[in-house]
Amino acid sequence: MHACIHRGATQIGGSCVELEHEGQRLIIDLGLPLDAPDNSRERLPASLDLNGLAPCAVVVSHPHQDHYGLLHHLPSGIPVVMGKAARRIVQAAAPFTGQVLPGLEGPELVDRVPLQVGPFRITPFLVDHSAYDAYALMVEAGGRRIFYSGDFRGHGRKSALLDRLLAAPPSPIHALLMEGTSLGRNEESPAYPTESELEAELTTCCRDTAGLVMVHASAQNIDRVVTLFRAAKKSGRTLVIDLYAAAILEAAGGKRLPQSDWEGVALYVPFRQRLQIKRQGCFDLLARHQSKRIYAEALAADPGRYALLFRPLHSNDLERAACLKGAAYVYSQWQGYWESGSYDDLKNWLEAQGIPRHSIHTSGHADVPTLRRFVTGLAPERLVPIHSFNPQEFSGLYDKVEWHADGERWAV
Ligand SMILES: [Zn+2]
């Protein structure tokens, strides 16, 4: 078996790896680079050939754009292998994000159930990550075995999955492709806070705030939505979600995940979302989720009763309906987006409204001690860096590191 990292050897985002055996090809992830100005065909990795012999399949490790955002450029008929809930999440998000919905037909990834695709035997391992239904993948062909970590962590709500994998790791692993998002980012405080620690912080924030608590997090970060729901419950508040969040939670589908009709949850549909619903004709979706619908007047009448899963498109409505007296804003996403100016309008708005800003967040990726634990536990013959801006730092994690550049073909 041969491998080629088409993109990801020296960057986070836009991941794409190809495996080849006896002339057959398997592609793992087809992501959009984080800094891409658009998702046009030019963003495909230069070394990836989609005109030659069709790959047996494309496997998507998890439903984040930097791993599937270029799928719509695939010629039709190539199976897309991904988790069942992951597939539903991508479908549910499309009407709201305006992104092109790619063809998504193909077999499912099921935790620890091997799947044969052409000459490749794929065993998925469900992992703890900020994306729901995320997998690491072990692929075997021609007696060789490669393990692709995907994106993972060990401090989320599913941290037991990492313990389980490392308690009985598959062996031997001839090459481990491991993500290294955190390398070079956090020298000073190596261990990241857990979701449970965030829950305690958010609970305190909810208790200490007289007015509305607005928590700015991605609805697709299901762990975080659960954290917020639990914090809201503990502090006697109702979690308020919009229709996008309701659709994503429904798509995730876990029986233990908060849903729009749950006790302690309410639906609020801001004006700009009402326009989206009209434009996309999502009336069935609204009908399905509006049993607990509330309006801005309710939020304004007693804002201290609610914790809102906030997005910037809510701000005008909240201001106009006078819901902001005594409010607090909690930023619960990667600090880099804030610092790069992505939310400057929001920042100015918060200042103009005199709303204090808190930052309560933890990474979706493994911290450095967890990366070390992962590679030591899997004990591969060699470690190949991927999904990192600092691949040289992998040498501090393990003694058998092998660097392969984007576009380079190498024997597993
Ligand atoms: Zn990623």
Side-chain angles (χ1 to χ4, degrees):
M1 177 164 54
H2 283 81
C4 174
I5 300 174
H6 286 299
R7 186 160 46 212
T10 58
Q11 65 180 286
I12 295 168
S15 288
C16 182
V17 174
E18 179 169 339
L19 300 177
E20 184 248 302
H21 182 64
E22 291 175 341
Q24 304 231 56
R25 312 160 65 196
L26 181 74
I27 292 169
I28 301 178
D29 287 339
L30 192 51
L32 181 69
L34 295 178
D35 59 357
D38 56 48
N39 57 8
S40 66
R41 207 175 167 79
E42 289 86 83
R43 309 301 154 219
L44 285 167
S47 56
L48 176 67
D49 177 14
L50 286 180
N51 301 316
L53 177 74
C56 305
V58 176
V59 189
V60 176
S61 62
H62 63 276
H64 271 165
Q65 281 277 327
D66 67 319
H67 293 258
Y68 79 85
L70 293 173
L71 267 188
H72 58 283
H73 297 299
L74 274 185
S76 60
I78 299 176
V80 175
V81 185
M82 62 194 296
K84 193 176 186 175
R87 208 183 302 263
R88 286 196 306 250
I89 287 171
V90 170
Q91 284 160 339
F96 295 94
T97 57
Q99 195 183 286
V100 203
L101 184 62
L104 292 170
E105 283 75 47
E108 266 158 33
L109 294 174
V110 180
D111 187 28
R112 291 174 185 254
V113 178
L115 176 82
Q116 191 74 32
V117 178
F120 306 99
R121 184 180 165 87
I122 306 166
T123 309
F125 294 86
L126 190 66
V127 293
D128 183 5
H129 182 44
S130 49
Y132 196 70
D133 205 17
Y135 295 89
L137 304 161
M138 183 168 77
V139 184
E140 296 159 274
R144 302 297 282 176
R145 199 184 248 176
I146 193 166
F147 196 101
Y148 175 79
S149 74
D151 291 4
F152 75 100
R153 62 178 174 177
H155 56 275
R157 296 200 166 271
K158 298 178 291 303
S159 60
L161 293 168
L162 181 64
D163 301 334
R164 188 177 166 217
L165 174 65
L166 298 182
S171 176
I173 291 168
H174 299 110
L176 169 63
L177 281 169
M178 184 178 78
E179 72 124 311
T181 309
S182 302
L183 290 167
R185 265 194 192 169
N186 66 332
E187 289 89 339
E188 288 126 55
S189 60
Y192 290 158
T194 63
E195 284 291 329
S196 311
E197 286 166 342
L198 255 56
E199 183 181 322
E201 265 189 85
L202 267 172
T203 306
T204 305
C205 178
C206 284
R207 285 183 179 145
D208 292 352
T209 302
L212 182 67
V213 173
M214 305 183 284
V215 180
H216 188 176
S218 162
Q220 292 197 36
N221 185 343
I222 303 290
D223 268 20
R224 190 61 42 81
V225 178
V226 172
T227 295
L228 174 57
F229 173 70
R230 291 169 61 98
K233 205 170 171 191
K234 279 184 177 168
S235 55
R237 289 177 186 252
T238 296
L239 168 64
V240 181
I241 57 175
D242 64 18
L243 190 62
Y244 168 66
I248 296 297
L249 287 164
E250 180 187 36
K255 287 193 185 71
R256 288 156 61 197
L257 301 176
Q259 300 293 331
S260 63
D261 59 351
W262 274 28
E263 191 70 36
V265 180
L267 180 81
Y268 168 65
V269 187
F271 176 69
R272 275 176 53 193
Q273 203 163 62
R274 293 204 291 277
L275 295 181
Q276 278 177 335
I277 294 165
K278 225 180 219 172
R279 212 179 306 129
Q280 303 281 344
C282 310
F283 302 107
D284 288 356
L285 187 74
L286 179 61
R288 217 159 56 234
H289 289 289
Q290 64 179 357
S291 67
K292 295 257 174 75
R293 184 170 177 181
I294 58 168
Y295 293 84
E297 295 72 35
L299 289 173
D302 197 357
R305 266 189 60 195
Y306 301 102
L308 170 68
L309 179 61
F310 174 87
R311 293 193 294 146
L313 67 76
H314 297 151
S315 52
N316 278 343
D317 296 52
L318 298 174
E319 181 183 344
R320 211 171 305 133
C323 305
L324 298 170
K325 191 164 180 280
Y329 167 85
V330 179
Y331 184 69
S332 192
Q333 300 190 102
W334 183 47
Q335 194 61 26
Y337 297 134
W338 188 271
E339 281 160 11
S340 69
S342 308
Y343 294 121
D344 279 359
D345 289 349
L346 176 65
K347 191 172 152 192
N348 294 335
W349 179 76
L350 290 168
E351 276 166 18
Q353 299 293 325
I355 298 172
R357 170 183 179 268
H358 308 270
S359 190
I360 302 179
H361 181 57
T362 195
S363 177
H365 300 273
D367 52 35
V368 175
T370 306
L371 290 174
R372 192 172 288 121
R373 205 182 131 215
F374 191 83
V375 59
T376 313
L378 289 181
E381 279 184 10
R382 58 240 222 259
L383 170 64
V384 179
I386 193 168
H387 204 279
S388 175
F389 283 120
N390 295 286
Q392 70 289 348
E393 295 201 17
F394 277 69
S395 55
L397 300 174
Y398 200 58
D399 54 1
K400 289 170 277 185
V401 183
E402 204 174 277
W403 287 268
H404 290 289
D406 283 354
E408 181 195 332
R409 184 175 179 268
W410 43 280
V412 177

